[in-house]
Amino acid sequence: MVSLKKLSEKEELLAPGHRLCAGCGASIIVRQVLLAAEDPVVIANATGCLEVATTIYPYTAWRVPWIHSAFENAAATIAGVETMYQVKKRKGEITRDIKFLAFGGDGGTYDIGIQALSGALERGHDILYICYNNGAYMNTGIQRSSATPKGASTTTSPAGKVIPGKRRFPKDLTAIVAAHNIPYCGQTSPSFYNDLIGKVQKALSAEGPTFLNIISPCPRGWRHETDQSIAMAEEAVTCCFWPLYEVENGEWRLTGYSKQIAEGKKEKTSVIDWMRKQGRFRHLFTDARKPFLDSIQEEVEREWENLKKRCGY
Amino acid sequence: MKEKGWKECLWGGLIVDAGNSVLYKTGDWRSQKPIRDEKKCTDCLQCWIMCPDAAIKVKDGKVVGIDYDYCKGCGICSKVCPFDAIEMKEEGEQ
């Protein structure tokens, strides 16, 4: 268990005054991640909401060394910085321990940055890559990505009479990353800060590449009130749309609330109830769209059963 | 902050003053204002860990106030508080 009192004594490494929207999930995630880190950190950031809104020239919200180069290459950028550190350490020019992190949104991770991410994971750099996953290109005005849930209306998968929002399921990036056989990866949610902070600390203490996929509510893109962000990221977990799990040296394990659901200690909630609270799914609640809506519930069920099997349930 | 011409900017778009975003006050975005009831507050710090803007001021493990210079009024603190110690009020109402 994390002691919030102890954490609150640490320096705030993401300064206020950044221009992320009210109720943004990304800055909650970054704050929790930075509080979890015990060593000094260096961060690379892919293009996206977080990068744009925290570093509007001539201001920066970061109180740690931070670099942005392009949309597709946060993983390659941090891999380069980490390599330089390893060389300098070997030569004795740096003696202290430093951790290397990359932040990317789902656009910069699932789509545009996947090649750089896959490369960095395969080469074995000692980095932690964090995807704050809000399920669309929110920064440019809500375009679909390969992380956008089925049925969500975005400007490039607009719901209308013919199209029911996005017609495809999101790809399972965490499983793709796990297939790289890296020491540690997993999924978490800022609503379960114990789970999130625990996983960040585990990832940072592992040697080699690590990855966390973190669900990041977006009031603008998901179309919910700004005060609902934490509730949305919580219900995504309780309805098993976003299960909490980790893969450590090839061993799959459910954690926290998801583990309790699998063991029958907590009630699983309905995916459709979670969707009903978000305007991006509003168009699905008609009689005509009922079969489509049901297909979403079925798919989430199937994925959850698959995950449980992988985790030995 | 005075705007700089391109000749005065550092190469590569460097910003050397880490965390200087504090000079930019986002509090004026707010339309709903969180008001904390000290009597109900138990210093559980749920609001602090969930605040997107680091606007819950904590000293020695205790909540000492809300930083209205940066609070954007999202209302997350009010929702996550297990003790109903934070109430959202229309800005200008109090």
Side-chain angles (χ1 to χ4, degrees):
Chain A
M1 285 291 273
V2 175
S3 159
L4 290 183
K5 282 199 183 357
K6 238 182 219 157
L7 279 186
S8 72
E9 287 160 15
K10 294 183 74 172
E11 191 195 354
E12 196 67 60
L13 294 174
L14 185 76
H18 62 72
R19 283 172 249 183
L20 288 159
C21 305
C24 177
S27 47
I28 307 174
I29 291 169
V30 172
R31 284 190 61 232
Q32 293 184 1
V33 168
L34 293 178
L35 284 166
E38 274 147 12
D39 292 313
V41 296
V42 173
I43 288 171
N45 209 163
T47 304
C49 289
L50 180 66
E51 171 265 326
V52 169
T54 56
T55 57
I56 294 178
Y57 198 79
Y59 300 103
T60 176
W62 299 86
R63 291 185 176 128
V64 295
W66 179 95
I67 182 170
H68 163 251
S69 65
F71 210 147
E72 69 283 4
N73 63 4
T77 304
I78 202 67
V81 178
E82 186 263 351
T83 304
M84 182 188 70
Y85 162 76
Q86 299 295 357
V87 171
K88 284 192 174 290
K89 210 167 184 194
R90 198 170 61 231
K91 289 182 177 170
E93 292 169 26
I94 294 177
T95 49
R96 63 179 176 169
D97 288 328
I98 300 173
K99 301 292 183 193
F100 297 87
L101 273 71
F103 281 103
D106 51 293
T109 309
Y110 278 64
D111 297 348
I112 300 178
I114 192 169
Q115 177 270 129
L117 173 64
S118 179
L121 298 178
E122 190 274 332
R123 290 191 303 272
H125 295 279
D126 194 6
I127 58 171
L128 165 58
Y129 190 105
I130 288 168
C131 173
Y132 68 98
N133 180 354
N134 51 28
Y137 291 83
M138 301 306 185
N139 178 44
T140 46
I142 320 170
Q143 289 81 28
R144 91 191 273 286
S145 76
S146 57
T148 304
K150 185 175 177 179
S153 180
T154 70
T155 52
T156 47
S157 60
K161 276 191 189 136
V162 179
I163 301 175
K166 191 187 167 190
R167 283 181 280 197
R168 303 276 307 157
F169 288 109
K171 71 182 172 199
D172 189 353
L173 185 71
T174 316
I176 295 170
V177 167
H180 288 72
N181 294 320
I182 57 172
Y184 189 80
C185 67
Q187 272 188 194
T188 184
S189 154
S191 304
F192 298 87
Y193 61 86
N194 263 313
D195 193 82
L196 190 151
I197 289 172
K199 280 177 181 160
V200 171
Q201 288 177 340
K202 234 177 185 181
L204 288 177
S205 64
E207 246 175 76
T210 53
F211 173 86
L212 284 175
N213 199 349
I214 309 181
I215 195 160
S216 179
C218 172
R220 294 290 302 120
W222 294 17
R223 304 283 183 213
H224 59 71
E225 291 300 321
T226 57
D227 64 1
Q228 292 301 311
S229 296
I230 291 301
M232 287 302 129
E234 185 175 328
E235 209 173 323
V237 172
T238 61
C239 75
C240 298
F241 171 81
W242 195 257
L244 308 174
Y245 68 93
E246 60 188 9
V247 186
E248 194 173 3
N249 298 317
E251 196 186 319
W252 291 64
R253 221 178 287 131
L254 289 173
T255 63
Y257 203 97
S258 300
K259 187 177 179 212
Q260 289 175 304
I261 295 175
E263 290 172 356
K265 291 175 190 157
K266 291 269 191 219
E267 208 61 50
K268 183 157 155 288
T269 58
S270 141
V271 181
I272 291 171
D273 283 347
W274 175 67
M275 292 168 74
R276 205 189 306 272
K277 292 167 189 157
Q278 301 167 55
R280 61 177 172 163
F281 299 116
R282 184 190 298 130
H283 54 281
L284 296 178
F285 294 90
T286 62
D287 288 343
R289 292 265 158 84
K290 178 94 176 29
F292 184 79
L293 193 59
D294 288 342
S295 77
I296 297 173
Q297 173 89 52
E298 275 164 34
E299 172 74 15
V300 171
E301 266 336 295
R302 197 169 66 230
E303 286 291 308
W304 168 241
E305 289 304 321
N306 281 343
L307 179 64
K308 277 205 307 197
K309 248 180 246 161
R310 272 173 168 164
C311 298
Y313 288 95
Chain B
M1 187 182 280
K2 188 185 156 286
E3 299 227 332
K4 288 177 181 170
W6 66 272
K7 285 179 187 168
E8 297 160 280
C9 293
L10 290 175
W11 51 269
L14 280 181
I15 308 170
V16 291
D17 187 6
N20 65 353
S21 64
V22 293
L23 298 170
Y24 190 89
K25 307 281 168 74
T26 51
D28 59 1
W29 296 12
R30 192 175 55 242
S31 64
Q32 297 281 318
K33 188 175 187 175
I35 309 287
R36 175 175 157 264
D37 185 339
E38 282 175 46
K39 280 181 233 121
K40 287 188 188 168
C41 178
T42 64
D43 299 305
C44 69
L45 305 185
Q46 297 289 320
C47 54
W48 169 77
I49 194 75
M50 298 301 186
C51 177
D53 293 283
I56 306 289
K57 293 195 270 191
V58 176
K59 212 183 160 198
D60 302 325
K62 302 224 179 296
V63 179
V64 293
I66 294 169
D67 197 337
Y68 294 116
D69 277 352
Y70 305 107
C71 167
K72 294 167 186 162
C74 69
I76 288 178
C77 54
S78 168
K79 279 279 179 255
V80 300
C81 178
F83 306 99
D84 287 328
I86 300 175
E87 196 187 340
M88 299 303 290
K89 287 198 169 153
E90 197 74 29
E91 190 62 47
E93 199 181 75
Q94 339 65 44

